[in-house]
Amino acid sequence: MNRWQLTPGHDLRLRFWGESCVLHHRASNETHRLAAGAGQLLEHLRDAGPQTSEQLAAQFDDLAPHEAEALLEQLRPLLLVERCP
């Protein structure tokens, strides 16, 4: 599986409301509304540094490695995460 990290200069600001998360990405000055689980995954990457899908899934009770990988692939076009070189 791939190792993932937040994109350089990420400086994400996250707010959670129930099952939703709103984040502001300062580098692009864009705001995104995500599922709370996606926000929690981004928080974990921010705090822990680069992780594989397996390592990320192990942090959450209801997330399988293939689901973590799929979620990260969905976040990649938003320039929030990238595969580690």
Side-chain angles (χ1 to χ4, degrees), residues 1-32:
M1 288 269 169
N2 298 308
R3 285 177 51 83
W4 292 87
Q5 64 186 11
L6 294 182
T7 55
H10 56 275
D11 195 20
L12 302 177
R13 307 286 185 207
L14 297 111
R15 298 275 190 238
F16 292 89
W17 285 277
E19 296 298 315
S20 295
C21 170
V22 175
L23 76 87
H24 181 252
H25 185 237
R26 280 186 85 183
S28 66
N29 198 31
E30 292 185 0
T31 301
H32 305 281

Side-chain angles (χ1 to χ4, degrees), residues 1-81:
M1 288 269 169
N2 298 308
R3 285 177 51 83
W4 292 87
Q5 64 186 11
L6 294 182
T7 55
H10 56 275
D11 195 20
L12 302 177
R13 307 286 185 207
L14 297 111
R15 298 275 190 238
F16 292 89
W17 285 277
E19 296 298 315
S20 295
C21 170
V22 175
L23 76 87
H24 181 252
H25 185 237
R26 280 186 85 183
S28 66
N29 198 31
E30 292 185 0
T31 301
H32 305 281
R33 181 174 170 222
L34 307 170
Q40 292 167 343
L41 188 136
L42 290 170
E43 277 188 322
H44 183 75
L45 273 178
R46 180 187 64 198
D47 297 341
Q51 302 270 300
T52 65
S53 301
E54 289 91 354
Q55 290 170 317
L56 286 166
Q59 302 302 312
F60 301 94
D61 293 333
D62 58 347
L63 188 65
H66 70 279
E67 294 171 323
E69 186 79 15
L71 180 54
L72 290 161
E73 287 290 355
Q74 291 174 357
L75 295 171
R76 192 165 65 142
L78 301 176
L79 304 177
L80 301 173
V81 297

